[in-house]
Amino acid sequence: MAPKWRELADRFAEQIKGGQYPPGAQLPQIRELVEAGEGSKETVHKAYKALEAEGLVTSTRGHGTVVRPRAALKRLGIARYDKAKWRDGDEVAFIADRVASGRGYKRNEQTQTVSRVEADSLVADGLGVPVGSEVYARARLVKEGVQPTHTLTSYYRPEHVEGTRIVDPTPGPAGRGGGYRVLYDAGYEIDHMREALFARIPTAEEVQLLQLPAGEPVVELHRTTYTADGTVVEFAVGIHAASRFAWEYDFKVPDSAQDMKGQE
């Protein structure tokens, strides 16, 4: 015979999979279930922990136990930086992801703080400046509704962005077209970029900021953005909740042998 917490967890799992608790719905508070005779506080807690371990719910302080979204957001690769999106329209990168995922968005779901900081070794290497140089840091927190999805901090050389909308801390993208449009208007049209990705265990601060469930890793992104002449105009570090994104890349397959023949 299964323990009571397992029976309770199985019952909730069936209800979640059957749609009685849709994605984003909050399960009853532990106190409510105890008062309803579903078991002791320990029993209900174990049941909820089991559901969390099975990937059906997330539990965070202040938000209770919530059913996980069924589909992760598409985190586009090359397509999210299409110049037509930000130069000619207003689809900044996080909005492009939402549109591709068929999800709604509000511009103020991106909040930010802007400050001048001293470049550490990572940022200095990314921007190509000496360690300790003063740079602008534009730190964004992006949410889908009330749930954080990721953070992104972009670093810039002051001479590239001083006096532009990039250093305006108003919530939302930096005006129509966002930061890349600002750089474009300032004469720094982006041409190519390099991205590096790796997964790791989150810090305690990241767990709290992104409202991560126990045991969930983060995906860290390092993005370096260049103009056609090789000038670095942005180095960015993004921290993404691993389960909230599905990374998607679409690109032409290279053939270096053919490229070499064309140079002969």
Side-chain angles (χ1 to χ4, degrees):
M1 183 177 178
K4 191 165 185 177
W5 65 264
R6 182 69 264 175
E7 293 178 356
L8 183 60
D10 290 344
R11 174 150 47 91
F12 271 116
E14 290 179 7
Q15 292 171 340
I16 291 169
K17 293 173 182 176
Q20 185 172 334
Y21 289 99
Q26 186 173 11
L27 298 189
Q29 296 289 333
I30 291 178
R31 171 181 48 79
E32 295 172 349
L33 292 175
V34 172
E35 292 175 353
E38 294 288 358
S40 66
K41 182 178 179 180
E42 182 182 5
T43 294
V44 180
H45 180 73
K46 282 186 175 181
Y48 278 5
K49 280 298 181 183
L51 293 172
E52 188 174 359
E54 292 161 16
L56 295 175
V57 302
T58 60
S59 296
T60 54
R61 183 172 296 178
H63 292 81
T65 301
V66 178
V67 178
R68 277 182 181 271
R70 289 197 182 96
L73 278 168
K74 288 183 180 179
R75 201 288 187 179
L76 300 177
I78 298 169
R80 76 197 308 263
Y81 303 120
D82 184 350
K83 292 183 181 181
K85 296 183 187 298
W86 53 263
R87 182 193 59 205
D88 307 328
D90 195 23
E91 276 191 31
V92 299
F94 94 86
I95 292 177
D97 291 341
R98 302 285 176 86
V99 171
S101 302
R103 311 270 266 269
Y105 64 88
K106 296 179 181 178
R107 291 176 66 84
N108 64 5
E109 287 178 328
Q110 173 182 292
T111 59
Q112 58 207 0
T113 57
V114 179
S115 58
R116 288 181 74 132
V117 301
E118 291 187 357
D120 60 17
S121 58
L122 176 65
V123 173
D125 184 60
L127 284 177
V129 299
V131 173
S133 299
E134 198 168 69
V135 299
Y136 270 107
R138 181 170 170 245
R140 282 94 86 199
L141 173 65
V142 182
K143 296 183 177 182
E144 185 178 21
V146 299
Q147 183 181 63
T149 58
H150 65 290
T151 65
L152 183 69
T153 302
S154 293
Y155 299 92
Y156 308 91
R157 301 185 191 188
E159 62 267 28
H160 291 162
V161 299
E162 192 74 75
T164 71
R165 293 189 307 273
I166 281 177
V167 297
D168 180 352
T170 302
R176 180 174 172 80
Y180 289 146
R181 178 57 192 262
V182 173
L183 290 168
Y184 176 84
D185 290 342
Y188 301 104
E189 180 176 1
I190 67 170
D191 178 76
H192 58 283
M193 59 180 59
R194 181 176 67 243
E195 291 190 341
L197 298 167
F198 60 92
R200 62 171 173 79
I201 300 300
T203 65
E205 181 182 3
E206 289 163 350
V207 169
Q208 183 176 14
L209 185 61
L210 294 175
Q211 299 174 14
L212 299 173
E216 173 155 352
V218 293
V219 175
E220 182 165 333
L221 163 76
H222 293 177
R223 179 177 76 202
T224 311
T225 307
Y226 304 83
T227 60
D229 65 3
T231 300
V232 177
V233 290
E234 178 208 35
F235 175 69
V237 178
I239 309 297
H240 302 72
S243 68
R244 296 170 196 166
F245 287 92
W247 299 72
E248 182 176 291
Y249 287 87
D250 185 3
F251 52 88
K252 182 176 175 60
V253 176
D255 188 342
S256 59
Q258 288 298 322
D259 293 342
M260 292 296 291
K261 288 181 180 179
Q263 296 173 11
E264 294 175 354

